[in-house]
Amino acid sequence: MSHRPNEVLQHRPGPRPAPRSGPIRHGAVGGASRPLGRRCALPLAVPRRAPSVVGCGGCRSRRAGGGGGRRRAGGHSARGRSMAAAVVHRGPAGWWRWHRRVMVCSRTMASKTPVGFIGLGNMGNPMAKNLVKHGYPVIVYDVFPEACKEFQDLGAQVTESPADVAERADRIITMLPSSPHAKEVYTGGNGILKKVKKGSLLIDSSTIDPAVSKELAKAAEKTGAVFMDAPVSGGVGAARAGNLTFMVGGVEQEFNAAKELLTCMGSNVVYCGEVGTGQAAKICNNMLLAISMIGTAETMNLGIRLGLDPKLLAKILNMSSGRCWSSDTYNPVPGVMEGVPSANNYQGGFGTTLMAKDLGLAQISATSTKTPVPLGSQAHQIYRMMCAKGYALKDFSAVFQFLREEESL
C-alpha cells in the first residue's frame, strides 16, 4: 500500500496549534505523542477534514517495505523515504506550513531492492525466475556459469562467488544440493559470511541436516546476519508455477520478512519453529513421499501383471482409499499421466540421488532420536540401490522401472 505524502489539510481560522511535544509513532491515531523507540516515528498520511493522523498497517510488519537490512523493531528502509509531507493551516498570521519527512510503505519500493539467489539447478532456476516476475532485481551465482546465462539475458546481475552476492544484496536465498554444499557456500573461503552485511536476511531453501542449519545460523549470528531454513516441497512443476510449500525455521520475528519473498515462489509458507524445524518437517515429508512412491510403484506393477490396464487401475486407486500424491499427481507408470517425469523417460523432477540423500538425513535423525523407522530404512536402501544401478540422475519415480527390472533377475 502506497501512501500519499503530499496530502493537504485545511482548517478554519484559529490559533496556531502548539508544537508537538515529541515525535509521532507510526501507526498512532489522533496524533498522540509516543516514544520514538526504533520504529518509524512519522505519520504517513493526513486525512482530509480530520485532525488525526492515520498510520500504515504495513509498518506493523517486521520489515515493512522489504529492504534496507534487519531492524530489531521493524520500520522502513531508508531507501523508502519520500518527499516531505505538508500540512497547511490558516491562522491569524496567514498561511503557514508544517513539514515533516515521511517514509513510504510500498511493495513497489520493496521490489526495487535486490535479492541474491545462489543455486540455479532444477529447483533454483524456476524459483529465481519467479522473483524476477514479481519485480525483484536478482543477483545470481551458480557453480556452473552456464546456469547463469539466461538470467543475464533477463537482466539479472551475475557474480563470481557467493561472497560477491553478499556484498551486493542484504537478502539472499540459497537452493543447494546437500549439507557440504551449504557449508561451502556460507562458510567457505568465498562464502556468503565472508562479506555479508550486518542485518542481512539469509534464507536457505536447501534440504540439509537440521544440525547443519543450526550451525550455519550460529555462524551467521556472529556476523550480525539472520539465518533461516526454508526447505520446499512440491517439485519442479510447483517451482515453475510458484506453488511450492515452504517450511520455515528461525526467529519468529523475522518470519514476515522471509514470507514476503517466499510468497513470490510458493502458495504455502508455514512457520515451524526455531532454526532446524523447517528441515525436520521436510525430511519427515520426504520419507513419507519415498515410502508412498515405492508403494504406488509396487501396486501398479502388480496390477499390470494381473492384467489390469494401468490407466484404469490408477483411476480406481484415485477414487479409493489407496489414493495418494504419488498415484494421482505424480504417477510413476509411463503413459498414465502427462506432464510428469514418467512420461519423459524419468527426466527432470526430483532426482533419485537427492531422494537417497534426504532419506539418509531421515535415518540420521531417527538414530539420534532413537526412533524406529523400518519402512523409511527400507526405502533408503532401495533408493541407494537405484543409485548404484544407474538411476542416480533419473527422477525418483523411476523406482517403478527399477522394480520391473529387478523382477526379471
Side-chain angles (χ1 to χ4, degrees), residues 41 50 56 135 161 208 220 222 233 279 296 320 325 337 341 370 391-392:
C56 165
S161 71
I208 61 176
K222 291 178 181 178
S233 178
Q279 299 293 351
T296 300
S320 304
W325 188 84
M337 297 183 66
K370 299 181 180 179
Y391 289 86

Side-chain angles (χ1 to χ4, degrees), residues 175-198:
M175 177 53 105
L176 307 163
S178 65
S179 297
H181 293 95
K183 286 183 177 180
E184 179 63 24
V185 164
Y186 279 93
T187 62
N190 285 315
I192 290 171
L193 299 185
K194 292 297 180 182
K195 292 186 178 180
V196 70
K197 292 179 281 188
K198 188 175 182 180

Side-chain angles (χ1 to χ4, degrees), residues 12-245:
R12 294 179 179 179
R16 176 171 174 168
R20 299 179 186 273
S21 58
I24 299 174
R25 186 174 182 175
H26 190 176
V29 176
S33 177
R34 302 184 186 181
L36 173 59
R38 293 192 65 186
R39 296 191 60 179
C40 177
L42 307 175
L44 295 192
V46 183
R48 293 183 180 278
R49 313 301 298 171
S52 62
V53 175
V54 179
C56 165
C59 289
R60 299 184 184 97
S61 69
R62 183 78 169 172
R63 281 177 188 255
R70 179 183 177 209
R71 287 166 293 280
R72 285 285 180 185
H76 290 293
S77 162
R79 298 184 180 92
R81 293 191 179 105
S82 75
M83 64 180 68
V87 179
V88 181
H89 299 275
R90 184 178 178 85
W95 291 97
W96 60 278
R97 290 175 181 269
W98 170 58
H99 294 276
R100 185 182 292 271
R101 298 289 296 180
V102 301
M103 298 179 182
V104 176
C105 175
S106 166
R107 184 167 290 276
T108 301
M109 293 299 293
S111 70
K112 294 179 181 178
T113 305
V115 177
F117 203 105
I118 300 173
L120 302 171
N122 287 341
M123 293 292 291
N125 179 293
M127 289 169 65
K129 284 180 179 175
N130 279 324
L131 285 174
V132 174
K133 289 177 183 176
H134 280 78
Y136 287 90
V138 176
I139 301 169
V140 299
Y141 171 77
D142 192 276
V143 67
F144 299 107
E146 59 271 21
C148 300
K149 179 64 171 63
E150 61 180 316
F151 285 92
Q152 194 168 25
D153 295 340
L154 291 172
Q157 296 182 51
V158 176
T159 62
E160 296 183 355
S161 71
D164 290 340
V165 175
E167 193 172 29
R168 303 184 194 187
D170 59 13
R171 293 182 294 172
I172 302 172
I173 298 170
T174 54
M175 177 53 105
L176 307 163
S178 65
S179 297
H181 293 95
K183 286 183 177 180
E184 179 63 24
V185 164
Y186 279 93
T187 62
N190 285 315
I192 290 171
L193 299 185
K194 292 297 180 182
K195 292 186 178 180
V196 70
K197 292 179 281 188
K198 188 175 182 180
S200 292
L201 177 63
L202 312 176
I203 304 172
D204 182 36
S205 289
S206 319
T207 299
I208 61 176
D209 188 336
V212 173
S213 290
K214 294 177 181 179
E215 179 184 327
L216 296 179
K218 289 180 180 178
E221 186 177 10
K222 291 178 181 178
T223 69
V226 178
F227 177 94
M228 303 186 83
D229 58 309
V232 304
S233 178
V236 174
R240 291 194 187 107
N243 292 329
L244 291 168
T245 292

